[in-house]
Amino acid sequence: QVQLVESGGGLVQAGGSLRLSCAASRGTFSRYTIGWFRQAPGKERELVARSPWSGGNTYYSESVKGRFTVSRDNAKNTVYLQMNSLKPEDTAEYYCAADPPPWDTKYDYWGQGTQVTVSS
């Protein structure tokens, strides 16, 4: 079983930066695809980025492309979401999730979520 521990949320002013971390406290990401999601009150859950653990191109939504970057530290079994030039519309609860084989995008494992609030 894989257990995800997410951290790094907080309150920042528009234009600021935050780095979210998603680490496997038990098990490893191994062959899992990692997704970053966010959900704001009154809105549906949105896929922000998706990163194959084994490599390949990372997907970014149009709203964050050029501002958010996913990186990985394989030695620490950790995935990061660097968020720059934050906007008030980025305010949401952010989640990381792991999609195990057969990679059906059902994301069996989820972090606890971390709140990101961007003030104007």
Side-chain angles (χ1 to χ4, degrees):
Q1 297 290 103
V2 173
Q3 183 173 334
L4 307 181
V5 179
E6 188 177 44
S7 61
L11 191 155
V12 298
Q13 195 168 359
S17 299
L18 286 173
R19 188 180 72 167
L20 306 184
S21 299
C22 179
S25 62
R26 173 170 291 185
T28 66
F29 292 128
S30 186
R31 313 171 194 270
Y32 294 11
T33 289
I34 303 299
W36 286 97
F37 298 84
R38 67 185 182 186
Q39 187 168 26
K43 295 184 178 180
E44 67 178 14
R45 187 180 63 197
E46 175 190 11
L47 175 65
V48 175
R50 182 176 58 244
S51 175
W53 180 251
S54 60
N57 294 330
T58 299
Y59 164 85
Y60 298 96
S61 68
E62 287 297 321
S63 62
V64 308
K65 189 177 298 183
R67 300 187 298 118
F68 291 10
T69 303
V70 174
S71 62
R72 292 175 290 183
D73 187 333
N74 292 330
K76 296 181 178 179
N77 200 27
T78 301
V79 178
Y80 303 96
L81 181 66
Q82 179 67 46
M83 305 183 295
N84 298 324
S85 302
L86 284 163
K87 305 175 181 179
E89 51 263 43
D90 294 319
T91 296
E93 187 85 0
Y94 283 72
Y95 303 86
C96 65
D99 179 23
W103 308 289
D104 55 8
T105 71
K106 292 183 178 179
Y107 293 96
D108 294 344
Y109 308 102
W110 291 79
Q112 80 283 0
T114 184
Q115 179 68 37
V116 172
T117 302
V118 184
S119 64
S120 60

